[in-house]
Amino acid sequence: MGSRGGAVAPAVALPRDVAAALAAAVGSAWLLTDPTALHAYACDGLTGWRALPRAVVLPASTDETAAVVTILAAHGIPFVARGAGTGLSGGALPVAEGVVIGLARMRAILRVDLDDERVTAQPGVTNLAVSEAVAALGYRYAPDPSSRQVCTIGGNVAENSGGAHCLKLGFTTHHVVGATLVLADGQVVELGGTALDPAGYDLLGAVVGSEGTLGIVTEVVLRVIPLPPAVRTLVAAFEAIDAAGEAVSAIIAEGVTPAAMELMDRTALSAVEAAVHPGYPSGAAVLLVEVEGPDRRCAEEAEQVIACCRAAGATACRIAAGEGEAARYWRGRRAAFAAMGRISPHYYVQDGVIPRTRLAEVLQAIRRLEEEHGLRVANVFHAGDGNLHPLVCFDGTRPGEAERAEEVATRILDACLAVGGSLTGEHGIGRDKVCQVPKQFTVADQMAMHRLRTAFDPAGLCNPGKLLPTPRLCGEAPGIYRPHPTELRGVADRW
Amino acid sequence: MDLTGLPTVTPTDREAVVRCLREASAAHTRVLVVGGATQLDRGNPAAVDLVLSTRALDRVVAYEPAEMIAVVEAGCTAAALRDLLRPHGQEWPVDADDDATVGGLIATGAAVPRQLGVGPLRDSVLELECVSGDGRAIHTGGRTVKNVSGYGLPRLLVGSLGTLAVIVQAAVKLRPLAGARRTLVAAGGLPVALGWLRSVPLATAILVHGDTAELRLEGWADDVAAQTAWARACAPDAHVGDDAPFPQAAPWSHHPVVAEMSVAPSRLGAVLATAGCDAGGLVGVGAGWAGLEGAAALDRLRRRVESLGGALPVVRGPGGLGGTLPAPAIHRRIKAAFDPAGILAPGRFWGGL
């Protein structure tokens, strides 16, 4: 499923009766089968992987989604749900023998209920639109991926998306209180939505972050929180990135929980300064910190943060004088990925997590990899929670360089795992990292996950080939889970 | 649940749990996992043949204060964890009996009185090492606060009442221990409590029982002072207790049956009105407890709570969990996937799983 680079597999046409049934379910205008139209859906934000689906269906409601899934399930045709296609791990990469179910038409905010501090939205609503819908009422939706203007809530639920402000406020899973889920056989179930601890296992907790493998969320109930009374945004520059890392640890140890703590190294800064002129103080590393809360507390925390930065050797600390300056500082951070184009023709975005206290040694490992492979790595991270985003710079026109960049990116993840970290903090496993899953999880761990998956989707039609490795995807590498047919039938077992 | 006369095994490491559950699965021996035995009444009645106690699994595996994560074995008690963390100015903000174990608290997923400020228990569980009913050691989640690798299996295990797997080890997220703690108590019941919810931005908890409202404030001393001033605007006569416990009163606890309610926050008033005066509700959260005299009172309140989309499991005394499962087929398949022989407290969970 899917291939690397520009090669695009030819579409296999849908059987005529299936196409007719799908067209009847959603209206023929919303069933796309023309190859030129399908090309727009061939990849998501992980553009190196492409596959043409057999068709794209664009349902407008839960009922239409359920009807589409029922038809596909009856014919054993796999399907991949897609929001805005901004994901960076290939979670929305089509399956060549399958159909993409695009949720972009389902973009209504259905209810705003401030008595319970909740917003009910369809999956195609953008992340930012949720916050905008309640901003005038003094509320916001907390998780804020950098792509929040375009990424959708449905995609956020699938990926358990994070963002800069997760440090204090938590990830998507902490803010989803209910969902309507179309199961892989077309049945519709409601999970949560009223009480925080409903009867049963926490199926909602399993669905959030399941990368579209347990069903399709067609409605989601989100918790919104009051806007903070006051916010202070500040930046500190350091001569060495390790010193900035020390400042981060000191701030946490002080008992301060900033809303966000973002770190950028010299390479990232050079790109960002060229692209959006955020006006950071100059240094080898810049730490961007935001604190929020009641006015006086906020001012005190800003002072505490500055004291920690100075003690760690900051050469300059600035508190944004107003919203304009704060927005400029944030623009620099949010533009970091896009700005890499200024200094490198291509770059590979990595996403790994480490225990916060191991930052210095992982950064050293990254430096060694840069030297060994002769490639530059820009580091941008959510420093407060140890979530690294190394950007491996390369020139794809030079033979072998893309492969070397991928090798560096993979080795960086190995360094994260070696200190007890994780393969991904917010971008997901998707197709991108599926063959690396055995580095973090044993065969038994993978099997437990596989069993959860088959409890939701016994036929394996829901976004196959993502999240868990299979021999077809990853070859016969040792340790990769490969269920024996008897295991799948529940007849045999392995330990 | 009465465990008198039942044989008990007390494994001292994960491998012993693995062996125990493989044997139990092969022999169809029904097993009840018990930690501090503080929440045995939670769940539907379940006949079992063997008690598996986690009390000998009580080691501290890793604690790096700068990471604000503690990794402990499941039998580590709430008191032992508190004593470990306090010298470093940290806490796992789950208020529990001293004897309750970390594994037991996670398996029961009990409501946290301070949830408004500290979040629900499930949000603090980062990694779980467990052994499934058929004796497979499984590692779920990860030892970092941020992690989206694989399914959120720890969430599935929180509140699973020992019916999917035996939790043998947990990594939990910690928070700084507040420098100042204060409980305000005022007359005025729900209206005062709702006033606090609107006007005290850093409230750690707001509890209403009968005509009494309690406000918990934790944080830096000057914040707590500022919040107190705002709180007094709603309740000028509020009594202020520094370093006082929270809650100050738990009238529900004097009854033979105690049920734990979970409803949408806006429905709390309606539930409390039905529950009578010996019930307490956490405003802004939608959780609470009701003290009841017996089955008739429980049925009446349960019907009310369930009609509002909530749940009302009994946590002490008879009465079980009540409720109906969403997506029952998926629930049954999950149970079968983790416990194929059906030996882990069969029937204890919602829907008789």
Side-chain angles (χ1 to χ4, degrees):
Chain A
M1 60 152 277
S3 58
R4 311 298 295 263
V8 169
V12 184
L14 277 182
R16 201 168 291 170
D17 58 329
V18 176
L22 292 173
V26 297
S28 54
W30 307 110
L31 171 69
L32 313 180
T33 51
D34 176 58
T36 15
L38 298 182
H39 272 283
Y41 295 84
C43 68
D44 61 8
L46 184 75
T47 52
W49 285 89
R50 283 168 192 273
L52 270 200
R54 295 164 88 174
V56 174
V57 196
L58 302 166
S61 66
T62 298
D63 288 348
E64 286 189 11
T65 308
V68 166
V69 171
T70 303
I71 294 162
L72 296 173
H75 293 83
I77 297 171
F79 51 88
V80 178
R82 179 188 173 101
T86 55
L88 294 168
S89 59
L93 175 71
V95 181
E97 65 274 29
V99 165
V100 166
I101 300 177
L103 300 159
R105 290 176 67 210
M106 297 173 66
R107 49 170 184 253
I109 289 180
L110 302 172
R111 273 183 299 283
V112 174
D113 168 14
L114 290 185
D115 284 343
D116 282 324
E117 303 190 320
R118 288 169 191 187
V119 169
T120 304
Q122 289 185 317
V125 170
T126 64
N127 173 292
L128 189 59
V130 177
S131 281
E132 285 174 346
V134 291
L137 305 164
Y139 281 81
R140 63 178 156 160
Y141 176 63
D144 61 338
S146 293
S147 55
R148 64 193 178 147
Q149 285 179 309
V150 284
C151 68
T152 64
I153 284 299
N156 288 180
V157 170
E159 301 294 326
N160 188 12
S161 300
H165 287 76
C166 289
L167 179 58
K168 182 171 190 171
L169 301 170
F171 325 117
T172 301
T173 192
H174 303 129
H175 298 272
V176 174
V177 297
T180 302
L181 183 71
V182 175
L183 297 171
D185 61 1
Q187 274 190 72
V188 178
V189 294
E190 304 279 339
L191 303 176
T194 53
L196 285 180
D197 287 302
Y201 299 124
D202 186 5
L203 301 186
L204 185 62
V207 166
V208 177
S210 64
E211 305 191 2
T213 63
L214 302 184
I216 300 179
V217 169
T218 55
E219 245 180 61
V220 55
V221 187
L222 304 164
R223 186 167 72 100
V224 290
I225 61 172
L227 287 165
V231 177
R232 296 268 195 297
T233 308
L234 53 101
V235 286
F238 296 83
E239 287 301 326
I241 195 154
D242 294 2
E246 277 168 35
V248 169
S249 290
I251 291 163
I252 303 271
E254 188 77 0
V256 177
T257 307
M261 276 205 277
E262 302 287 308
L263 192 46
M264 285 168 275
D265 74 356
R266 193 191 297 275
T267 308
L269 288 167
S270 64
V272 163
E273 284 292 349
V276 295
H277 316 294
Y280 297 139
S282 64
V286 162
L287 182 63
L288 167 65
V289 183
E290 191 157 283
V291 292
E292 58 174 53
D295 204 29
R296 207 168 46 119
R297 170 94 294 261
C298 195
E300 282 166 4
E301 285 196 356
E303 288 308 317
Q304 284 172 294
V305 167
I306 286 175
C308 290
C309 289
R310 293 236 159 89
T315 50
C317 296
R318 274 185 216 157
I319 298 185
E323 280 182 27
E325 194 173 338
R328 211 173 68 226
Y329 290 162
W330 271 112
R331 199 158 59 236
R333 168 60 187 90
R334 291 216 157 93
F337 288 8
M340 294 312 291
R342 298 281 176 142
I343 61 164
S344 176
H346 303 100
Y347 62 94
Y348 190 104
V349 181
Q350 190 51 286
D351 167 45
V353 191
I354 57 167
R356 204 166 37 222
T357 52
R358 312 297 289 271
L359 183 62
E361 66 190 280
V362 174
L363 288 176
Q364 261 174 24
I366 293 175
R367 269 176 233 138
R368 278 197 302 272
L369 287 167
E370 285 185 282
E371 286 161 20
E372 269 173 45
H373 291 80
L375 293 174
R376 269 194 303 174
V377 178
N379 285 295
V380 179
F381 16 100
H382 306 304
D385 42 26
N387 187 189
L388 310 185
H389 289 313
L391 305 163
V392 184
C393 302
F394 67 97
D395 182 347
T397 62
R398 293 190 196 144
E401 205 161 298
E403 290 74 17
R404 255 167 46 230
E406 195 181 343
E407 169 70 11
V408 169
T410 304
R411 299 271 299 275
I412 290 173
L413 271 194
D414 292 345
C416 293
L417 292 174
V419 298
S422 169
L423 285 172
T424 169
E426 55 187 12
H427 294 171
I429 297 290
R431 177 63 184 88
D432 188 31
K433 292 180 180 172
V434 74
C435 298
Q436 298 184 64
V437 166
K439 293 178 182 174
Q440 192 177 356
F441 294 104
T442 66
V443 172
D445 302 341
Q446 293 171 54
M447 194 161 74
M449 291 195 258
H450 177 77
R451 285 171 179 237
L452 175 70
R453 184 179 196 152
T454 53
F456 278 85
D457 176 20
L461 297 178
C462 212
N463 211 6
K466 317 290 172 65
L467 198 138
L468 286 173
T470 68
R472 190 176 151 209
L473 301 174
C474 307
E476 297 286 335
I480 289 173
Y481 173 58
R482 180 161 48 105
H484 189 271
T486 54
E487 281 177 55
L488 291 177
R489 291 200 304 273
V491 179
D493 230 331
R494 75 165 74 188
W495 302 99
Chain B
M1 201 181 294
D2 184 12
L3 307 182
T4 320
L6 284 173
T8 299
V9 291
T10 311
T12 54
D13 59 20
R14 185 173 66 176
E15 283 59 47
V17 177
V18 166
R19 280 195 303 276
C20 173
L21 293 182
R22 282 187 193 176
E23 285 165 20
S25 275
H28 290 278
T29 307
R30 297 164 299 179
V31 179
L32 182 73
V33 191
V34 176
T38 60
Q39 302 201 59
L40 289 180
D41 288 348
R42 193 188 282 259
N44 299 316
V48 294
D49 310 302
L50 179 70
V51 170
L52 190 161
S53 167
T54 60
R55 290 304 291 269
L57 297 165
D58 60 356
R59 283 160 291 228
V60 174
V61 179
Y63 175 41
E64 176 82 52
E67 293 291 347
M68 302 197 79
I69 292 171
V71 187
V72 297
E73 289 186 325
C76 177
T77 62
L81 182 58
R82 204 168 51 226
D83 292 346
L84 171 73
L85 305 178
R86 188 183 282 147
H88 300 280
Q90 297 181 357
E91 66 164 345
W92 184 40
V94 175
D95 307 286
D97 293 347
D98 284 358
D99 288 342
T101 61
V102 171
L105 287 162
I106 292 169
T108 49
V112 176
R114 290 181 289 158
Q115 183 169 327
L116 183 66
V118 304
L121 183 148
R122 70 169 81 88
D123 288 358
S124 73
V125 180
L126 302 176
E127 178 191 62
L128 291 177
E129 300 281 349
C130 55
V131 180
S132 60
D134 51 352
R136 285 172 304 202
I138 301 166
H139 158 258
T140 70
R143 225 172 269 187
T144 51
V145 169
K146 206 167 186 182
N147 176 26
V148 296
S149 184
Y151 293 118
L153 282 178
R155 288 192 165 244
L156 199 68
L157 292 161
V158 171
S160 63
L161 291 174
T163 61
L164 295 178
V166 177
I167 296 166
V168 293
Q169 184 182 304
V172 294
K173 186 180 162 192
L174 310 174
R175 70 194 300 272
L177 203 52
R181 275 161 289 195
R182 175 175 281 181
T183 302
L184 277 73
V185 180
L190 194 59
V192 165
L194 290 171
W196 281 339
L197 184 65
R198 279 190 299 272
S199 58
V200 183
L202 300 182
T204 303
I206 303 168
L207 176 75
V208 56
H209 47 84
D211 186 46
T212 305
E214 295 190 24
L215 170 67
R216 181 65 167 180
L217 298 173
E218 297 183 0
W220 307 87
D222 45 1
D223 279 340
V224 168
Q227 306 276 312
T228 302
W230 283 324
R232 280 197 186 281
C234 301
D237 299 328
H239 173 266
V240 174
D242 281 321
D243 289 320
F246 174 83
Q248 292 278 291
W252 56 86
S253 64
H254 310 302
H255 289 256
V257 176
V258 179
E260 190 175 279
M261 61 182 81
S262 180
V263 290
S266 62
R267 307 302 183 130
L268 195 63
V271 174
L272 291 175
T274 310
C277 55
D278 285 346
L282 296 168
V283 174
V285 174
W289 300 270
L292 303 161
E293 286 316 305
L298 174 65
D299 282 348
R300 179 162 156 266
L301 183 59
R302 195 171 262 169
R303 275 200 303 276
R304 180 73 174 137
V305 169
E306 290 176 359
S307 74
L308 296 170
L312 189 78
V314 165
V315 295
R316 198 179 70 208
L321 298 169
T324 44
L325 282 179
I330 290 178
H331 273 91
R332 280 194 297 275
R333 290 199 293 257
I334 289 174
K335 168 72 175 173
F338 283 83
D339 178 23
I343 55 143
L344 290 176
R348 188 185 188 192
F349 199 67
W350 306 86
L353 293 176

